[in-house]
């Protein structure tokens, strides 16, 4: 496919790569960036910043270049990468103590948001369902539904008892937060979106193929970042339990495997 909004997307992507690089370098290599946050939040932020810098930025740039040349797979990966950055920087904007990079956090969120809107609009104007031939839609659907339900249970297990007992969830009180921004973005946006994608790809709807593809890319990057967060906690002596990193690594590999299975069924455009 060709981006209909190529020129504005090129500007947004270059600016996004620049802003993401700056905040990632700051968070990963300059401890003063998170000096107002707890040691745990600072370690997790540094872990994610490393993934953003060495995986997110290159992936964003490479997939944009390939997608602009008509590569369908790259277009879907590019959109999924934008979704991951947008998700992450909602948390940075609302979950990290105010620091000298606050405006860059806002800029990164804004750039990723509007680039995502434009790319999704371009994808919706394509007959995306015709890109795929005999795709494993039911397998993808079940996997997405399973992952969404697991995280629903994980978050509701913390939130519901706190509501019934009129208390504050541990994830909120331990970090002196008003609410946990991860709870909000997952329960409001990410998990419902993944479930909707699960249903729609089962029914072989065009938007279902789009959402499912983006969701798999998003989960690859997010679980990789989560694993890096856990390993950074261990490296800094804040936690001794690194087994959860293995769980996230397994989820990342599983998502990669299903993404490969799905993308193997994408047809090459005629004339390319």
């Amino acid at each position: 496919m060709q981006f209909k909004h190529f020129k504005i997307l090129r500007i947004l992507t270059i600016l996004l790569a620049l802003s993401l690089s700056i905040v990632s370098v700051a968070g990963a290599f300059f401890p003063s960036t998170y000096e107002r946050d707890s040691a745990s939040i600072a370690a997790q932020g540094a872990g994610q910043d490393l993934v953003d810098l060495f995986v997110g930025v290159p992936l964003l740039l490479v997939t944009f270049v390939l997608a602009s040349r008509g590569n369908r797979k790259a277009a879907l990966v590019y959109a999924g990468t934008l979704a991951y950055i947008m998700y992450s920087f909602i948390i940075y904007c609302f979950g990290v103590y105010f620091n000298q990079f606050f405006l860059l956090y806002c800029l990164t969120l804004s750039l990723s948001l509007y680039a995502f809107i434009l790319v999704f609009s371009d994808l919706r104007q394509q007959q995306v369902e015709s890109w795929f031939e005999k795709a494993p839609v039911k397998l993808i659907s079940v996997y997405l539904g399973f992952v969404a339900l697991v995280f629903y249970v994980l978050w509701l297990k913390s939130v519901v008892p706190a509501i019934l007992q009129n208390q504050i969830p541990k994830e909120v009180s331990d970090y002196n937060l008003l609410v946990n921004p991860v709870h909000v973005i997952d329960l409001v946006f990410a998990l419902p979106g993944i479930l909707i994608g699960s249903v729609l790809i089962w029914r072989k709807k065009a938007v279902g193929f789009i959402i499912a593809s983006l969701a798999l890319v998003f989960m690859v990057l997010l679980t990789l970042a989560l694993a890096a967060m856990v390993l950074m906690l261990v490296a800094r002596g804040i936690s001794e339990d690194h087994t959860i990193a293995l769980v996230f690594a397994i989820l990342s590999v599983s998502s990669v495997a299903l993404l490969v299975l799905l993308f193997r069924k994408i047809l090459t455009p005629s004339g390319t």
Side-chain angles (χ1 to χ4, degrees), residues 106-122:
C106 293
L107 178 62
T108 304
L109 174 57
S110 179
L111 291 168
S112 59
L113 169 63
Y114 289 105
F116 179 81
I117 290 172
L118 291 176
V119 171
F120 197 86
S121 173
D122 285 352

Side-chain angles (χ1 to χ4, degrees), residues 32-175:
S32 61
T33 301
Y34 299 122
E35 63 184 359
R36 295 189 180 100
D37 295 279
S38 67
S40 176
I41 292 293
Q44 292 177 66
Q48 179 159 11
D49 289 329
L50 288 171
V51 172
D52 289 348
L53 181 63
F54 294 110
V55 179
V57 172
L59 189 63
L60 178 74
L61 294 173
V62 170
T63 54
F64 174 75
V65 171
L66 293 176
S68 65
R69 297 175 180 174
N71 189 302
R72 293 171 170 177
K73 298 173 185 176
L76 293 169
V77 175
Y78 173 70
T81 305
L82 289 172
Y84 161 77
I85 297 171
M86 182 170 56
Y87 173 97
S88 299
F89 277 83
I90 291 175
I91 298 172
Y92 275 74
C93 287
F94 291 100
V96 173
Y97 268 85
F98 184 90
N99 62 39
Q100 61 268 47
F101 296 100
F102 173 74
L103 289 179
L104 279 178
Y105 295 157
C106 293
L107 178 62
T108 304
L109 174 57
S110 179
L111 291 168
S112 59
L113 169 63
Y114 289 105
F116 179 81
I117 290 172
L118 291 176
V119 171
F120 197 86
S121 173
D122 285 352
L123 287 169
R124 286 293 289 127
Q125 295 179 49
Q126 305 288 318
Q127 293 182 325
V128 177
E129 71 276 18
S130 67
W131 293 4
F132 296 84
E133 184 179 31
K134 298 180 180 179
V137 294
K138 292 186 177 180
L139 177 61
I140 301 293
S141 175
V142 170
Y143 177 75
L144 293 177
F146 172 75
V147 171
L149 289 175
V150 166
F151 277 93
Y152 264 122
V153 171
L154 181 64
W155 293 148
L156 294 178
K157 182 181 177 182
S158 169
V159 172
V160 173
I163 291 174
L164 295 177
Q165 298 169 20
N166 194 27
Q167 296 178 347
I168 299 175
K170 191 173 185 297
E171 296 89 344
V172 176
S173 59
D174 283 359
Y175 300 121

